[in-house]
Amino acid sequence: MAIIHVLLSGGIGSRLWPLSRKQQPKQYLDLFDGQSLFGLTVQRNAKIAEEVIVVGNKDNAHLSEKAMLSGGLPYRSIVEATPRNTAAAIAFAAFALSPGDILIVTPSDHMIAGEEAYQSAMRLGIQKAKDGFIVTFGIHPTRPETGYGYIEFEGDKVKSFREKPNQDTAEDFIERGTFLWNSGMFCFQASVFLDELKNYEPTVYESAKIAWEAAKDGKLDEALSLQIPSISVDYAVMERSKKIRVVPTEFEWSDLGSFEALYDYLVSTGYPKDENGNIVIGTDKFAGFVGLRNTIFVCTKDAYLVVQKERSQDVKKIYNMLEKHQSKLLD
């Protein structure tokens, strides 16, 4: 029984445009004392797992390879020909391993502080996984966040999963004190996950198995991959299985999925801001703010973004507009 870190490296980080692009998604940006979120995630889990499997799409594979080689850690790579969401991505890794192996599944683009608390949570998750449970890791919320999913819990039992709420509902969740943010991190035995996937989403299981068995050197065939229904692991298994347990964690966590989250992280590390809370990212040129508070000015070689911190979720609207017009500004 080996412990394997499965690193999901797909995703574009559209709410961090124009920093995050298709050719250089947020998890590979060296924004954190010269390190990337991808690299930090690998280092964090290297103290727990015996091996790394990186699952990502063909457009990101060279970036993952570069990051892994620079870290000097051995790894296996599963290269998706086309994105089929997280249920299939995790299934590929489970098919690649022995039935009793324990997978620690994490995204590659989250910021976590508190190494001891992280390892403690993972050890507890591994123990529950050995007992045949599918474990999710919940984060104690620090604000009524509308950009995250929530887990309603009692002890280590999951009472319900809730989609991203509106502001009033999020405030209610915080007041009740029985809700955790859904971190998107999981732990389970390969065979337990595959059995549950086969039970609840047999088409995903069968089509993913066919695609995996036909893969060459970890590279999946596009035609076979397109036969796999695109569905998240949350919908496919987590919200339906009777084997779910939650570990409420004590470490600091952010998915850094928005400029508000990035702002909070940067400011917490001493990043410069003016007297009204305005910051500049991406240029050393002076930028003056008049009549603005908590505003983020983002500068790249081909685009500027000015966004109110509290409206940072709406950056996705600009991304969607550019995508609709097939803009090269997304590349």
Side-chain angles (χ1 to χ4, degrees):
M1 179 186 289
I3 298 172
I4 312 296
H5 176 208
V6 177
L7 187 58
L8 305 180
S9 64
I12 297 168
S14 57
R15 288 173 295 164
L16 283 181
W17 180 90
L19 288 181
S20 185
R21 307 289 184 99
K22 290 179 179 178
Q23 300 301 319
Q24 190 77 6
K26 68 170 181 174
Q27 58 266 35
Y28 303 105
L29 299 174
D30 295 331
L31 293 175
F32 311 96
D33 293 329
Q35 297 191 81
S36 68
L37 292 173
F38 183 102
L40 290 170
T41 305
V42 172
Q43 293 171 29
R44 184 184 312 122
N45 290 279
K47 298 170 183 177
I48 306 163
E50 301 160 39
E51 186 185 353
V52 183
I53 292 182
V54 180
V55 185
N57 63 59
K58 60 184 179 182
D59 296 328
N60 289 3
H62 67 289
L63 297 172
S64 295
E65 181 179 10
K66 180 180 177 183
M68 291 303 300
L69 290 175
S70 67
L73 291 171
Y75 76 104
R76 278 193 270 173
S77 182
I78 295 174
V79 181
E80 296 178 292
T82 183
R84 303 318 291 160
N85 217 315
T86 51
I90 295 170
F92 296 142
F95 284 130
L97 297 169
S98 298
D101 286 346
I102 290 178
L103 287 64
I104 297 174
V105 181
T106 76
S108 58
D109 56 359
H110 292 182
M111 174 58 72
I112 289 173
E115 185 175 310
E116 195 172 304
Y118 181 82
Q119 292 193 29
S120 176
M122 291 299 133
R123 284 194 294 268
L124 182 55
I126 290 167
Q127 189 56 55
K128 291 180 185 295
K130 287 179 179 178
D131 292 336
F133 293 112
I134 292 177
V135 181
T136 183
F137 298 89
I139 310 297
H140 290 285
T142 57
R143 61 183 184 277
E145 173 63 55
T146 60
Y148 300 155
Y150 286 73
I151 300 168
E152 185 180 12
F153 78 109
E154 184 175 346
D156 71 347
K157 306 289 196 306
V158 175
K159 298 179 73 174
S160 69
F161 287 91
R162 303 293 185 92
E163 289 302 300
K164 297 174 183 178
N166 59 31
Q167 186 66 28
D168 289 343
T169 303
E171 290 174 2
D172 179 57
F173 287 172
I174 299 298
E175 288 178 14
R176 286 159 66 178
T178 55
F179 287 84
L180 302 164
W181 286 336
N182 187 350
S183 71
M185 298 190 294
F186 313 105
C187 183
F188 42 72
Q189 291 182 45
S191 60
V192 173
F193 175 78
L194 290 174
D195 286 346
E196 292 297 271
L197 181 64
K198 187 176 183 178
N199 183 28
Y200 292 104
E201 287 290 340
T203 304
V204 175
Y205 173 89
E206 295 295 347
S207 54
K209 189 170 189 286
I210 290 169
W212 173 249
E213 289 175 347
K216 297 178 181 177
D217 298 322
K219 295 181 174 62
L220 291 147
D221 177 78
E222 184 171 4
L224 291 175
S225 296
L226 287 170
Q227 301 301 311
I228 306 169
S230 179
I231 183 171
S232 75
V233 68
D234 293 299
Y235 288 133
V237 174
M238 304 307 294
E239 296 181 10
R240 299 155 81 178
S241 173
K242 304 297 188 290
K243 296 182 178 181
I244 307 300
R245 292 292 184 271
V246 63
V247 172
T249 64
E250 299 299 330
F251 51 80
E252 294 180 38
W253 172 92
S254 172
D255 76 343
L256 290 186
S258 69
F259 278 108
E260 180 173 16
L262 182 59
Y263 176 105
D264 289 342
Y265 169 76
L266 291 174
V267 168
S268 74
T269 62
Y271 196 85
K273 61 178 180 175
D274 71 12
E275 66 274 16
N276 292 313
N278 303 303
I279 71 169
V280 178
I281 299 174
T283 180
D284 293 328
K285 292 182 179 179
F286 172 78
F289 298 84
V290 178
L292 298 173
R293 288 183 176 275
N294 297 334
T295 299
I296 305 162
F297 174 58
V298 184
C299 177
T300 67
K301 67 180 187 300
D302 58 358
Y304 299 130
L305 174 72
V306 181
V307 58
Q308 198 78 30
K309 174 190 169 188
E310 293 78 11
R311 298 295 301 274
S312 62
Q313 296 287 344
D314 292 340
V315 173
K316 183 72 179 280
K317 295 178 181 177
I318 294 179
Y319 186 95
N320 290 341
M321 180 270 292
L322 292 170
E323 190 170 47
K324 182 179 178 181
H325 293 91
Q326 299 180 325
S327 173
K328 293 183 179 178
L329 289 171
L330 301 184
D331 294 337

